[in-house]
Amino acid sequence: MKKALFMLMSLCMTLGLITGCNNKKADSAENSELIVFAAASMTETLTELGNTYMADHPEVNIQFNFDSSGTLKTQIEEGADCDIFISAGQKQMNQLDISADAEINTDGLDFVLEDTRFNILENKVALAVPEGNPANIQSYDDLKKGLTDGTIMLAMGNSDVPVGQYTQKILDYFGLDEEALAASGCITYGSNVKEVTSQVSEAAVDCGIIYATDAYSAGLTIVDTATAEMCGQVIYPAAVIKTSKNPDAARAFLDYLTSSDADAVFESVGFTPIK
């Protein structure tokens, strides 16, 4: 009798261990780690949305990498772990997308997961000034005059940064020579939009060309916004990266970013969701 009872208890313990192990495996299978590479201009909004999403989906852990879209594109190309890429410009996404024009994707890179790419947001290219607007700049026309006269200093993004590329188009629109202006000390640069924003916030320059959302987040005054004729539209494409270890979870998070709740957060800082 005792021997039979002992054998029964042993069997129960063994079954319990097996069940426990299986549950751990199941839990592990359900947990998802997502690495999101996103343009620096999305830092505040995506951080907020990511925290909300993780609170509602405890099985998902999201890590963000915010930087200039050009830097992020290079990191992905060099093999960095990434599940989702959200760029501040089409160029950087196109350079990773095999379906894009070969004149843009010159290296034939194939990192974008098929049927996951879409345009998620629109932003505006804003002319922002420090507190008090010491140089009394009121418009892009004032910017042109001040740069021509050599009486103001402008902060802009580097040429590999989308906001810098938009700024270059604005300078071209006004017939201004960027190289000559930089040589004369009228232009300073930032490696991403946050660096440009900081220069304006610290009044190290008279004005800066940044995104409207960054001006809002930094509490800066916007004196003018660029038209599509001046620099084109500022469209943010998003996509799942082909090497993602959790493509289904990545798709689910991108779906959330197009929800009405996410739209409200984006709109609150000046983004326009694209439907």
Side-chain angles (χ1 to χ4, degrees):
M1 181 72 178
K2 289 183 178 179
K3 184 176 181 181
L5 181 60
F6 176 77
M7 291 178 65
L8 180 60
M9 292 176 62
S10 296
L11 179 60
C12 289
M13 291 176 65
T14 301
L15 289 172
L17 287 172
I18 292 173
T19 301
C21 288
N22 286 338
N23 286 339
K24 287 182 179 179
K25 288 180 180 179
D27 290 342
S28 176
E30 291 174 359
N31 291 336
S32 298
E33 297 281 339
L34 286 182
I35 302 174
V36 179
F37 281 30
S41 52
M42 302 185 75
T43 300
E44 293 82 8
T45 49
L46 270 191
T47 299
E48 178 181 345
L49 289 169
N51 288 336
T52 299
Y53 189 81
M54 287 187 286
D56 292 337
H57 300 80
E59 76 282 3
V60 178
N61 180 48
I62 302 173
Q63 297 179 34
F64 290 107
N65 179 20
F66 296 107
D67 210 320
S68 74
S69 299
T71 297
L72 297 175
K73 172 260 173 185
T74 299
Q75 291 174 355
I76 293 170
E77 181 182 355
E78 292 177 348
D81 288 338
C82 175
D83 296 290
I84 293 171
F85 180 36
I86 307 178
S87 171
Q90 299 287 1
K91 178 181 178 181
Q92 290 71 25
M93 187 69 79
N94 285 338
Q95 289 174 330
L96 296 172
D97 190 349
I98 194 64
S99 67
D101 192 322
E103 292 185 2
I104 300 175
N105 187 358
T106 55
D107 295 323
L109 300 178
D110 187 12
F111 283 89
V112 174
L113 186 62
E114 188 177 2
D115 296 330
T116 65
R117 178 176 175 174
F118 66 100
N119 294 329
I120 186 170
L121 298 167
E122 182 178 2
N123 209 336
K124 296 294 183 183
V125 180
L127 181 61
V129 296
E131 184 177 358
N133 193 7
N136 194 30
I137 299 167
Q138 301 297 331
S139 66
Y140 275 109
D141 287 330
D142 287 348
L143 172 68
K144 176 186 178 181
K145 184 178 185 303
L147 289 176
T148 301
D149 296 342
T151 56
I152 65 172
M153 182 177 290
L154 166 72
M156 64 177 281
N158 291 338
S159 61
D160 65 336
V161 179
V163 74
Q165 293 161 3
Y166 292 122
T167 304
Q168 288 178 322
K169 291 179 180 179
I170 292 170
L171 295 178
D172 287 343
Y173 176 83
F174 284 115
L176 297 169
D177 186 334
E178 178 193 349
E179 188 175 339
L181 290 170
S184 67
C186 289
I187 294 179
T188 66
Y189 294 90
S191 63
N192 59 49
V193 71
K194 292 301 182 187
E195 288 189 8
V196 180
T197 302
S198 293
Q199 292 183 47
V200 181
S201 296
E202 295 165 4
V205 293
D206 298 304
C207 59
I209 296 180
I210 58 179
Y211 297 122
T213 52
D214 289 285
Y216 177 90
S217 297
L220 293 173
T221 298
I222 296 173
V223 295
D224 204 354
T225 54
T227 63
E229 182 184 7
M230 292 166 66
C231 65
Q233 288 182 284
V234 184
I235 303 297
Y236 287 53
V240 177
I241 295 302
K242 214 167 191 177
T243 53
S244 171
K245 297 174 183 176
N246 295 291
D248 291 339
R251 288 174 187 265
F253 182 60
L254 283 180
D255 284 344
Y256 165 71
L257 293 183
T258 65
S259 68
S260 57
D261 288 344
D263 286 350
V265 174
F266 286 131
E267 289 171 347
S268 70
V269 298
F271 280 115
T272 301
I274 297 174
K275 299 300 183 184

